[in-house]
Structure formats: C-alpha cells, structure tokens
Amino acid sequence: MAVYPVYNDYLLKFNLKTNPNHEISFLGLGAIDKFRVSSDINDSEIQAYLKESLPENDQWNYTFGINNKIYSNNSVWSFIISRSHLYNNASRNSNISGNEETSLNYSSNEISNRVATEYVYTRRRGSFRVGAELTQRKADFDVMNITVDGNGVNNTEYESSIKYLMYGAHLQFGLYLLPKWWDISMGFRIDGSDFSDQLNNPTKQISPRISSRIKLSNNLSINGGMGRYYQLPGDVTLG
C-alpha cells in the first residue's frame, strides 16, 4: 500500500514603479495538494491497519497582497492589504461492526484579511520604525470521526465557526553606537483581539524586546536578544 501525493504550487510577483518616489508590488502564492491511498493491499495485518487508518486528503490555499510604498528623504511609508485562505478536507472509510462505513469526514476553511501600515525612518546613526495592523479572521469546521477502542465505538461529530478581529501596533528604535561595529535595537508591540473580554485591551498584551550585535571582526560577531511575545492559539483550537 502507498500514499500518492500530488503537489501543485504557483507564485506570482509584479512590481510597478510609477515614479522614483512611488512603487506598487503585488505578490500571490498558493498550492493545490491531493493525497490518495492505493487500494492494492496484501493480507498482512500492517496493510489492513494502514487501509483502516490512512485518510485521503484534498487541500488548497492561497495568499495574495498589495504593498504600496512611498519614498521620501531617508524614509519609506508602506500600506499593505492581503488575504489568505486555507481549505482542508479529509475522509476515510473503515470496517465498523462488519460494515464498510465512513469513519472520518473533516472539512475546514480558514480565512484571514489584513490591512497594515508602517513608517521607517533611517539616518546614519540610527533608525525609527512604527506601524499598525488590523486583521479579520474567519474559520469554520465540520467534523465527523468514528473510532473503535476497547470501550466500543466512539463517535465525535460537531460543527463550529468563529469570527474575530486582531489589532496591534509596534514601535522600534535602532541605534548604531559604533557604526559598523556595535548596534542596538529596542522596542515593543501591543496586541489585542475582540475574541474575548480578556484580550480586547491591547495595553494588557505589551511585548517589549531588545537586541544587540557586536562585530568583533569581518568574520565574527556576537548577537543577543530577549523579549516577550503573545500569540493566540490556532483557529482549529479556538474553534
């Protein structure tokens, strides 16, 4: 028995520079994947187990975005719009109580729509970066799974959907204390979400961070950093 995967991937990138101070970039990428289980099996217990346990899977995803950049003296201002979508489907047939039945039927959609802006200012002795973003997340799950153990047949079946907003901002300073030899970066992020009352105040999720690099020679440098980070679980867990 074998699993036959088929992978299809694509990538598209396009840049348009209307004038020396304005550039628009488009990026798109995605994949269409299929996994099929061969029906040719022998009489071994391993082959029978694989036939009962391996699902067939269809999955596709895409991400595309537009980045609008405005250049001025020592600075770049970016405006970004993007969308991502992941679809997943898995199914499996098993012998349950002597009958061939569908034991797994899973499908899900996970969608993300994001807008963001960032301003970067750079001088010889340092840099300044500030930005903000807003993301809408949507997901739905339809699950039916039948398993058999020592206690008998267990049936898990549910449908769920979630929809929420995430928002955040960041601020970062970079200082070149000894240009080309020692630099330090420090800043913080704040993140919030309307998923629950505990998360909707971004000042309660402050993530400070600091890092530094010391260049000892052309081929040797020391890097170090520390910070705090907050992250929501995946949509399949939240759902």
Side-chain angles (χ1 to χ4, degrees):
M1 172 176 286
V3 176
Y4 297 101
V6 178
Y7 303 105
N8 302 277
D9 303 293
Y10 66 86
L11 171 65
L12 175 64
K13 186 176 182 181
F14 177 75
N15 291 330
L16 175 63
K17 198 159 189 176
T18 58
N19 59 61
N21 298 322
H22 185 212
E23 181 181 15
I24 299 176
S25 301
F26 174 83
L27 177 66
L29 53 92
I32 302 174
D33 304 325
K34 296 179 180 291
F35 301 88
R36 295 292 181 264
V37 179
S38 169
S39 59
D40 298 329
I41 64 172
N42 54 39
D43 296 331
S44 69
E45 293 183 0
I46 294 178
Q47 293 282 299
Y49 171 79
L50 291 175
K51 182 178 182 296
E52 294 288 319
S53 60
L54 290 176
E56 295 189 333
N57 178 251
D58 291 321
Q59 178 178 285
W60 54 259
N61 66 83
Y62 66 81
T63 297
F64 65 82
I66 299 175
N67 189 352
N68 184 43
K69 291 183 178 181
I70 300 174
Y71 300 92
S72 60
N73 292 334
N74 303 314
S75 68
V76 181
W77 200 338
S78 301
F79 301 89
I80 303 166
I81 300 175
S82 65
R83 176 181 171 88
S84 299
H85 189 168
L86 168 64
Y87 170 79
N88 195 6
N89 176 269
S91 62
R92 179 183 63 235
N93 292 329
S94 302
N95 192 318
I96 302 173
S97 302
N99 298 315
E100 187 80 7
E101 298 181 21
T102 299
S103 59
L104 173 66
N105 192 1
Y106 169 91
S107 65
S108 67
N109 288 279
E110 299 177 59
I111 301 171
S112 175
N113 299 302
R114 178 175 179 263
V115 293
T117 183
E118 184 178 61
Y119 177 78
V120 180
Y121 182 78
T122 305
R123 294 298 296 269
R124 189 176 66 88
R125 297 303 300 270
S127 63
F128 168 76
R129 182 187 300 263
V130 62
E133 59 188 72
L134 175 66
T135 303
Q136 181 197 57
R137 297 281 302 178
K138 297 187 293 183
D140 60 77
F141 305 91
D142 189 351
V143 179
M144 188 280 288
N145 189 23
I146 300 175
T147 58
V148 180
D149 56 24
N151 298 320
V153 178
N154 305 302
N155 188 0
T156 301
E157 189 169 357
Y158 67 88
E159 295 183 18
S160 67
S161 62
I162 55 175
K163 182 178 180 180
Y164 59 96
L165 292 175
M166 297 189 302
Y167 37 87
H170 63 271
L171 178 67
Q172 182 174 327
F173 296 93
L175 300 175
Y176 309 134
L177 302 177
L178 294 176
K180 298 183 180 180
W181 295 103
W182 184 19
D183 57 71
I184 186 170
S185 176
M186 64 187 73
F188 66 91
R189 277 191 61 92
I190 56 173
D191 292 279
S193 172
D194 68 351
F195 184 82
S196 72
D197 293 338
Q198 295 174 318
L199 303 175
N200 57 19
N201 186 353
T203 61
K204 294 183 178 180
Q205 288 84 230
I206 300 178
S207 306
R209 67 279 310 269
I210 184 171
S211 63
S212 182
R213 180 182 67 95
I214 300 175
K215 186 176 181 181
L216 302 179
S217 69
N218 290 332
N219 300 316
L220 179 64
S221 63
I222 299 175
N223 298 269
M226 62 183 300
R228 175 187 295 166
Y229 298 89
Y230 290 90
Q231 184 177 358
L232 280 174
D235 286 342
V236 66
T237 302
L238 296 178

